Amino acid sequence: NELVPLAKEYNRVLIADTMELSLKKNLKGDLSWYEKVLRELVINAIKYSPEGSTIRIGLSENTSLSIPCWDLFILNDPLPLSIRDSSRDNLIGIPYDYSEQVFDLFFTIENHPRELPCEEWSEGTGLYVCRQLLDKMGAAIQARNGVYYKAGDSVPFVRVTITIPSLA
């Protein structure tokens, strides 16, 4: 309930895709910590997405693993970054080379990381704290870039996925 007005305050639209509340009771770990992690990750999506863009969150069953799990995802449009690749072109989203490192302590892809006053864990440590909390609960986190191709147009996106073990 807090995330939709927060996104609106920063001129973003937050859409929750099929998040069945009845599934919450089946998630392994402390729900209050999952809520804190989700909040921090949505704030990061707000910080690194263009004004007026849409951020999607959703929960889906993960059937690719040998144990029952759920994937909680956050999907947003990327903000062009101030760093450049080896061809001197501006990078968009999380640089591919850094998709795992972005969750390491004090690692940032910007010279001056953005901060929002609503962040609980700021100064570049938020993603690290999220990763550590999730590890303690047996969950995993992954970030990656992607590109949608619609009618010949390529549209980049960033997706952060938290894989949460199920009690059932």
Side-chain angles (χ1 to χ4, degrees):
N1 292 336
E2 172 196 2
L3 296 177
V4 172
L6 182 64
K8 190 174 183 175
E9 179 182 340
Y10 289 96
N11 194 21
R12 309 298 191 279
V13 176
L14 182 66
I15 298 175
D17 292 334
T18 354
M19 294 191 69
E20 299 178 34
L21 297 176
S22 61
L23 296 176
K24 283 186 173 183
K25 63 183 177 191
N26 293 326
L27 300 180
K28 186 177 178 182
D30 187 334
L31 283 179
S32 66
W33 286 110
Y34 287 128
E35 289 170 0
K36 285 179 181 269
V37 166
L38 176 62
R39 182 181 184 279
E40 196 72 17
L41 293 174
V42 168
I43 289 170
N44 273 275
I46 290 169
K47 287 194 312 186
Y48 294 105
S49 64
E51 279 197 41
S53 64
T54 300
I55 298 167
R56 301 184 88 87
I57 59 174
L59 185 67
S60 60
E61 188 174 7
N62 182 329
T63 57
S64 66
L65 300 174
S66 60
I67 60 170
C69 292
W70 295 94
D71 284 343
L72 173 63
F73 69 86
I74 299 143
L75 186 75
N76 66 279
D77 297 336
L79 188 66
L81 303 172
S82 62
I83 58 174
R84 299 178 185 275
D85 63 15
S86 57
S87 304
R88 305 296 297 151
D89 293 324
N90 281 352
L91 290 172
I92 294 183
I94 300 169
Y96 286 98
D97 296 344
Y98 303 141
S99 62
E100 291 304 320
Q101 292 175 327
V102 76
F103 293 110
D104 290 341
L105 182 59
F106 303 126
F107 181 83
T108 180
I109 50 181
E110 294 281 340
N111 290 334
H112 305 286
R114 296 177 176 100
E115 290 184 39
L116 295 181
C118 54
E119 286 180 281
E120 186 167 345
W121 307 305
S122 60
E123 299 176 3
T125 62
L127 295 176
Y128 174 79
V129 172
C130 289
R131 181 179 180 180
Q132 297 305 309
L133 288 171
L134 292 168
D135 282 348
K136 286 183 180 185
M137 293 188 290
I141 188 168
Q142 179 183 27
R144 66 174 47 177
N145 289 325
V147 179
Y148 286 127
Y149 293 96
K150 299 177 183 177
D153 295 333
S154 60
V155 180
F157 66 89
V158 173
R159 180 182 174 118
V160 176
T161 304
I162 301 169
T163 302
I164 306 169
S166 176
L167 293 174

